[in-house]
């Protein structure tokens, strides 16, 4: 559709402020933003809607407009509801860059314009989608009154008899229809996310169909409206670990084009909500960045504490100050280094730290600690270089949980995301996570950051596409292993274990499992024989063979320790 058509639609409340000669430009999409630099979400051809919250002074207009023009944006529409008439500096900047500028009447919601553009650029649609959008415009309005994606999913169930859910890339349920019956089991959500990520990495176009336990699901990618028309050359690894998906309990393989078009339109409606949530995260990202810069530059604890007092009400709305904080460090690495890992890890942490499982955020007694505001409102993630750092505030414990260890636990966090994200990382990516202990003061944050980084290095020393380690492991010998050079580790383990592996291969013996059990039982012959269901004499024969092949003595502490470390590093 062309800009002229938008201007001629009275219901949209648009008033032209500049660019009359450019009204024949084509609009291929729409994006709402208040980011100062939204370039990463722009692909060209968009009508950009903004409430001007990014503008702090006249000097901000030029760089913002320049970014839009460089990205190939079709036009800018500025709302007058929040800050009044569009400032002259924005009008002048748009004129310099030949970017058409509209003012949006305060009585018109951005949702109205977005819906109109989405319907028009999507072409002819089935009548039921038009009815859904027209009757439920509140879906795309901001704030509680909008209802979020749950509203449109309810309509898919009640109007079209389709059960559907929105899932994060890690399999976390983001939204679901209240009319669709029981929620999807966590295991099913994880498997659907894994199938979707695996299909996306192979380059297959959606929807992806998968059958689990006799039920067929069709999986539709949910991408931001701005990126819906992104060029095929864009590296999928930039977004594969952060994009939501729409899972519909139906086989879309035999659907007519009208029905497929309808569901694509639904994903665009949900993408508007996703973009709104992403924009809301910018404040929390900035808070995290400010606090972490203070921590890393060695600022005085009083200065850090002051920033935390500012951050706590934003991250824990309605709950006051946070008595404890945790730090989580993540690193995403791609082979070849073609994709910057920091932003990918940042987006991913913002998804997986939203209570990815009921057990991920508990106290030591198993009590849930996720009561309070919307979980996504408690996440503040910054990225520096190739790593992302999350500042996680913990609400106060109730009296029954006082004295317990609260917060995120690395094992539960890993279990909740390992399978889906492994599929998304495929054979060329890797995610490692480190989780600190909870600290209760600004003085402890620097130590928590270093603790989380050390834990991530411990995780990086392990095998697997997705690995995590917690602070509990840093009190043991494991802390030293990641800092041993790879060639030294390989030589050390080969010298001790290769003779045993070769013997096991040739004779179908079990010397390696026997060695592991013997060390686990602290050298106790009786306990080890019982665990392996062996006679003690048989165990003594095996241990003797181990000592003979390696020229070591398992009664000596030094040799026991060498074997123990070799097994851990292998």
């Amino acid at each position: 559709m062309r800009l002229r058509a938008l201007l001629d639609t009275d219901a949209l409340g648009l008033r032209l402020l500049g660019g009359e000669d450019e009204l024949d430009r084509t609009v291929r999409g729409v994006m709402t933003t208040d980011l100062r630099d939204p370039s990463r979400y722009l692909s060209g051809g968009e009508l950009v809607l903004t409430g001007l919250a990014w503008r702090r002074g006249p000097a901000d207009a030029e760089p913002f407009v320049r970014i839009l023009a460089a990205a190939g944006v079709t036009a800018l529409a500025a709302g007058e509801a929040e800050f009044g008439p569009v400032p002259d500096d924005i009008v002048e900047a748009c004129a310099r860059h030949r970017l058409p500028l509209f003012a949006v009447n305060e009585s018109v919601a951005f949702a109205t314009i977005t819906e109109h553009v989405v319907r028009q650029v999507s072409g002819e649609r089935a009548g039921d989608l038009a009815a859904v959008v027209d009757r439920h415009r509140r879906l795309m309005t901001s704030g509680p009154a909008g209802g979020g994606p749950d509203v449109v999913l309810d309509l898919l169930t009640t109007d079209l008899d389709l059960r559907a859910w929105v899932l994060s890339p890690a399999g976390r349920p983001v939204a679901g229809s209240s009319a669709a019956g029981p929620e999807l089991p966590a295991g099913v959500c994880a498997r659907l996310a894994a199938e979707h990520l695996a299909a996306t990495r192979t380059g297959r176009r959606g929807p992806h169909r998968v059958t689990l336990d006799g039920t067929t699901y069709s999986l539709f990618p949910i991408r931001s409206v701005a990126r819906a028309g992104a060029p095929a050359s864009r590296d999928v690894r930039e977004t594969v670990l952060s994009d939501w998906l729409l899972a519909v309990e139906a086989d879309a393989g035999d659907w007519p084009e009208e029905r497929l078009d309808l569901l694509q339109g639904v994903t665009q409606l949900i993408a508007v909500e996703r973009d709104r949530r992403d924009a809301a995260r910018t404040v929390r990202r900035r808070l995290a960045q400010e606090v972490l810069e203070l921590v890393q530059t060695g600022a005085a604890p009083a200065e850090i504490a002051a920033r935390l007092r500012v951050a706590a009400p934003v991250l824990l709305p309605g709950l006051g100050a946070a008595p404890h904080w945790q730090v989580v460090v993540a690193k995403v690495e791609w082979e070849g280094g073609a994709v910057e890992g920091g932003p990918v890890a940042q987006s991913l942490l913002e998804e997986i730290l939203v209570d990815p499982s009921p057990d991920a955020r508990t106290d030591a007694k198993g009590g849930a600690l996720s009561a309070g505001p919307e979980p996504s409102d408690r996440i503040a993630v910054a990225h520096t270089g190739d790593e992302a750092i999350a500042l996680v505030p913990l609400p106060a414990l109730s009296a029954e949980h006082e004295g317990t260890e609260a917060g995120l636990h690395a094992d539960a966090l890993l279990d909740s995301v390992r399978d889906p994200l492994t599929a998304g990382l495929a054979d060329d990516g890797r995610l490692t996570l480190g989780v600190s202990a909870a600290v209760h003061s600004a003085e402890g944050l620097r130590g928590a950051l270093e603790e989380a980084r050390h834990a991530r290095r411990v995780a990086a020393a392990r095998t697997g596409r997705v690995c995590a380690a917690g602070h509990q492991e840093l009190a043991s010998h494991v802390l030293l292993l990641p800092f041993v050079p790879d060639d030294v580790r390989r030589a050390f383990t080969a010298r001790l274990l290769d003779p045993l592996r070769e013997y096991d291969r040739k004779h179908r013996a079990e010397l390696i499992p026997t060695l592991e059990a013997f060390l686990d039982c602290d050298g106790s012959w009786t306990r080890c024989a019982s665990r392996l269901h062996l006679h003690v004499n048989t165990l003594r024969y095996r241990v003797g063979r181990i000592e003979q092949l390696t020229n070591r003595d398992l009664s000596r502490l030094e040799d026991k320790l060498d074997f123990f470390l070799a097994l851990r590093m292998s």
Side-chain angles (χ1 to χ4, degrees):
M1 66 176 303
R2 299 187 185 277
L3 284 176
R4 192 179 304 279
L6 289 176
L7 189 61
D8 292 341
T9 305
D10 293 336
L12 300 183
L14 295 176
R15 187 174 77 260
L16 185 64
L17 298 182
E20 184 174 1
D21 296 336
E22 308 290 338
L23 291 180
D24 286 329
R25 288 189 180 188
T26 300
V27 178
R28 294 198 298 269
V30 62
M31 176 192 178
T32 301
T33 186
D34 274 311
L35 296 175
R36 303 185 73 181
D37 180 3
S39 57
R40 63 179 296 189
Y41 301 109
L42 297 171
S43 58
E46 299 91 346
L47 170 67
V48 172
L49 305 174
T50 180
L52 300 180
W54 50 267
R55 181 183 178 274
R56 298 173 184 173
D60 292 336
E62 172 62 23
F64 181 81
V65 173
R66 184 171 61 247
I67 288 169
L68 300 189
V73 165
T74 296
L76 174 65
E80 297 180 323
E82 186 72 20
F83 299 102
V86 179
D88 291 340
D89 49 86
I90 296 177
V91 177
E92 294 166 1
C94 287
R96 282 193 297 272
H97 292 277
R98 299 184 62 83
L99 183 67
L101 175 64
F102 298 95
V104 182
N105 190 281
E106 64 181 8
S107 64
V108 178
F110 282 175
T112 301
I113 301 172
T114 302
E115 290 173 14
H116 181 83
V117 173
V118 168
R119 286 202 306 271
Q120 295 299 318
V121 300
S122 298
E124 291 297 324
R125 296 186 179 274
D128 47 6
L129 177 60
V132 166
V133 175
D134 288 340
R135 289 190 292 111
H136 295 274
R137 181 167 295 158
R138 65 189 179 89
L139 164 70
M140 293 165 55
T141 60
S142 61
D150 302 89
V151 174
V152 78
L153 298 186
D154 281 339
L155 293 169
L156 287 178
T157 301
T158 58
D159 290 19
L160 306 177
D161 197 26
L162 291 175
R163 285 161 43 90
W165 302 265
V166 177
L167 306 177
S168 79
R172 174 180 64 87
V174 175
S177 168
S178 58
E183 295 181 359
L184 280 180
V188 173
C189 292
R191 291 168 66 188
L192 290 176
E195 292 285 348
H196 172 73
L197 292 175
T200 301
R201 286 306 311 276
T202 61
R204 297 198 332 239
R205 293 178 61 86
H208 314 302
R209 288 175 292 157
V210 59
T211 300
L212 300 179
D213 302 326
T215 301
T216 299
Y217 300 88
S218 296
L219 310 177
F220 295 80
I222 297 175
R223 302 186 179 96
S224 79
V225 176
R227 286 191 281 111
S233 59
R234 181 168 182 154
D235 198 319
V236 69
R237 293 176 296 182
E238 294 180 20
T239 57
V240 67
L241 299 181
S242 57
D243 280 342
W244 289 350
L245 67 132
L246 175 67
V248 181
E249 190 181 289
D251 187 345
D254 55 358
W255 281 4
E257 287 296 322
E258 292 82 0
R259 180 56 63 90
L260 287 172
D261 194 39
L262 183 154
L263 266 294
Q264 293 294 348
V266 168
T267 64
Q268 291 181 352
L269 295 179
I270 296 171
V272 173
E273 171 67 12
R274 172 63 192 272
D275 288 347
R276 184 185 70 80
R277 294 191 187 187
D278 281 347
R281 284 175 173 167
T282 57
V283 174
R284 295 191 292 277
R285 286 178 174 180
R286 188 167 64 249
L287 285 172
Q289 193 72 48
E290 291 174 356
V291 172
L292 291 170
E293 284 178 359
L294 290 174
V295 170
Q296 294 184 103
T297 56
E303 187 177 358
I304 300 174
R307 292 306 302 157
L308 289 178
R309 284 194 294 272
V310 173
V314 176
L315 302 179
L316 290 171
L319 296 183
H324 298 88
W325 300 84
Q326 266 183 296
V327 176
V328 180
V329 173
K331 188 173 184 178
V332 174
E333 299 171 282
W334 301 104
E335 291 181 8
V339 177
E340 187 181 355
V344 176
Q346 182 181 44
S347 297
L348 183 57
L349 270 187
E350 288 173 336
E351 288 297 328
I352 68 177
L353 292 182
V354 184
D355 295 324
S357 77
D359 301 320
R361 190 190 296 269
T362 61
D363 58 42
K365 297 179 181 178
L369 296 174
S370 48
E374 169 66 25
S376 63
D377 290 337
R378 293 199 296 260
I379 299 167
V381 187
H383 76 84
T384 58
D386 58 355
E387 71 177 6
I389 304 168
L391 191 62
V392 183
L394 304 177
L397 294 176
S398 60
E400 61 181 301
H401 296 123
E402 283 293 337
T404 64
E405 183 184 350
L408 292 163
H409 296 277
D411 291 342
L413 191 62
L414 180 62
D415 289 343
S416 66
V417 303
R418 181 194 288 113
D419 293 343
L421 296 184
T422 297
L425 292 161
D427 58 357
D428 62 345
R430 191 154 193 255
L431 166 68
T432 50
L433 296 159
V435 182
S436 79
V439 296
H440 58 82
S441 67
E443 291 90 338
L445 271 182
R446 184 176 181 85
L449 176 58
E450 291 305 313
E451 193 172 59
R453 281 176 166 158
H454 280 306
R456 194 207 61 78
R457 294 190 189 103
V458 169
R462 296 171 177 164
T463 58
R465 291 289 169 188
V466 182
C467 298
H471 63 94
Q472 301 90 341
E473 301 176 60
L474 302 187
S476 71
H477 62 282
V478 182
L479 175 61
L480 303 176
L481 300 186
F483 306 102
V484 178
D486 289 344
D487 54 346
V488 175
R489 292 167 59 187
R490 284 193 293 269
F492 180 74
T493 57
R495 185 169 63 251
L496 276 178
L497 301 182
D498 279 2
L500 306 183
R501 291 178 178 135
E502 182 66 16
Y503 188 90
D504 282 349
R505 186 182 64 80
K506 287 183 178 180
H507 301 280
R508 295 183 180 180
E510 295 184 349
L511 297 186
I512 292 289
T514 300
L515 175 61
E516 291 176 329
F518 187 73
L519 295 175
D520 281 347
C521 293
D522 298 324
S524 169
W525 297 98
T526 304
R527 283 195 289 125
C528 185
S530 176
R531 175 184 293 189
L532 297 175
H533 305 290
L534 297 175
H535 192 278
V536 172
N537 289 341
T538 302
L539 175 62
R540 290 185 183 278
Y541 171 80
R542 288 187 182 179
V543 171
R545 178 63 69 184
I546 291 170
E547 293 175 331
Q548 180 184 26
L549 291 170
T550 60
N551 196 29
R552 296 294 185 114
D553 183 354
L554 277 169
S555 65
R556 297 178 68 246
L557 175 61
E558 294 88 344
D559 288 342
K560 284 182 182 178
L561 181 58
D562 281 351
F563 277 123
F564 183 78
L565 292 173
L567 288 169
R568 289 296 175 127
M569 289 191 289
S570 65

